[in-house]
Amino acid sequence: MRILRSLAMCFLMYSRVPMPRVEWKDENMAYAMCFFPLVGLLEGAVLLLWYLFCSALNIGAVLFAAGAVLLPVAINGGIHLDGFCDCCDALASHQSRERKLEIMKDSSAGAFAVICCVVYLLLYTAVWTEVELSGGVMAALALVPVLSRSLSGFGVVSFKNARTGGLLATFSKAADSKKVRVVMVLWFILACAAMICLSPAVGAACAIGGLGMFVFYRVSAYRQFGGITGDTAGWFLQLCELVCAVFAVLAQKIF
């Protein structure tokens, strides 16, 4: 039952999927991060269905790309995009670490948050229009949300928290860190292996891009904020998926 409660808590927190309400306590959060990549698997399944729908109706590349970018936001409720915007506001301030953390806690969106959000969505949509779609490539790209969440979940239980409180700190403290790390590594290996089998060049490119972004995330978060927060985790996840898409396009152009 504890495992099922952790599963429900993960989906309640990181998606809009209806789940039974569970009590907010440590034992229910211990393994919640283990199921984080499952939310990505759901997003990937919906993305594949969108691809099949667009292919059947001969829908153009731009509309398909818009759906590929916006459907995941609808599924996760925009929680990661919200963190991305808050983090962009803080980074654009060029203030001290303490002030940046205060800016991220502010619920109002600043000008740079809006600008970065618009630029991100436009760029991500444009990148999707450049993908040379096929069944194998599409199936591989549908696993990118699994890859990004396995890396993000690993970071939650491995990296230093910039705050003593907050949602991410609560999850990381309650998590069974050793077991979550092992599960996240397994998720990552399985996702990469499946992607490479489905489309070798695209799968390998996404794996390299995701790992590179993960290293950049760790360095940037420590340098800018002294650690990670829930907002920086959202910032990483959004950029990781964009970088994977860019690397996929580059792999197709080069190879």
Side-chain angles (χ1 to χ4, degrees), residues 147 151 188 204-215 236 240 243-244 247:
L147 181 149
L151 291 172
F188 178 77
C206 288
I208 293 169
L211 280 173
M213 186 61 212
F214 187 63
V215 173
F236 160 72
C240 181
V243 167
C244 286
F247 271 58

Side-chain angles (χ1 to χ4, degrees), residues 8 95 97 135 216 231:
Q95 299 292 318
R97 286 181 178 178
F216 178 74
D231 288 326

Side-chain angles (χ1 to χ4, degrees), residues 1-234:
M1 290 301 295
R2 180 185 296 182
I3 298 297
L4 292 176
R5 288 194 293 267
S6 291
L7 170 64
M9 179 161 284
C10 179
F11 272 81
L12 284 169
M13 187 65 218
Y14 295 111
S15 79
R16 292 293 186 180
V17 178
M19 284 281 171
R21 289 289 171 182
V22 294
E23 190 176 351
W24 188 270
K25 56 184 181 180
D26 287 356
E27 67 178 68
N28 293 337
M29 290 188 280
Y31 303 107
M33 291 309 301
C34 294
F35 300 101
F36 191 28
L38 275 180
V39 180
L41 196 62
L42 173 63
E43 288 187 8
V46 172
L47 183 59
L48 274 177
L49 289 174
W50 174 242
Y51 166 72
L52 293 173
F53 176 79
C54 290
S55 297
L57 296 183
N58 199 28
I59 289 174
V62 175
L63 182 55
F64 165 77
V69 172
L70 297 178
L71 282 172
V73 178
I75 293 169
N76 62 49
I79 184 171
H80 309 301
L81 193 59
D82 175 69
F84 170 82
C85 291
D86 288 341
C87 194
C88 287
D89 250 348
L91 290 171
S93 71
H94 300 290
Q95 299 292 318
S96 65
R97 286 181 178 178
E98 293 72 21
R99 180 58 184 146
K100 287 174 184 174
L101 290 172
E102 289 177 9
I103 291 171
M104 283 198 293
K105 287 180 67 176
D106 191 342
S107 59
S108 59
F112 285 103
V114 176
I115 292 169
C116 290
C117 183
V118 171
V119 169
Y120 174 85
L121 293 174
L122 284 174
L123 179 59
Y124 200 7
T125 301
V127 171
W128 265 110
T129 64
E130 291 296 314
V131 177
E132 298 173 15
L133 295 176
S134 67
V137 170
M138 197 63 237
L141 290 176
L143 290 171
V144 167
V146 178
L147 181 149
S148 64
R149 282 162 178 77
S150 65
L151 291 172
S152 180
F154 186 88
V156 167
V157 295
S158 302
F159 296 164
K160 182 174 68 174
N161 288 303
R163 299 191 183 103
T164 55
L167 185 60
L168 183 134
T170 301
F171 264 86
S172 62
K173 289 175 183 177
D176 188 331
S177 298
K178 290 183 179 180
K179 291 180 181 178
V180 172
R181 286 192 196 100
V182 171
V183 172
M184 291 300 102
V185 169
L186 289 175
W187 272 113
F188 178 77
I189 292 172
L190 289 172
C192 289
M195 291 167 71
I196 292 171
C197 287
L198 290 163
S199 178
V202 168
C206 288
I208 293 169
L211 280 173
M213 186 61 212
F214 187 63
V215 173
F216 178 74
Y217 166 49
R218 198 274 186 190
V219 173
S220 297
Y222 276 56
R223 180 181 299 165
Q224 297 289 340
F225 306 107
I228 66 170
T229 69
D231 288 326
T232 64

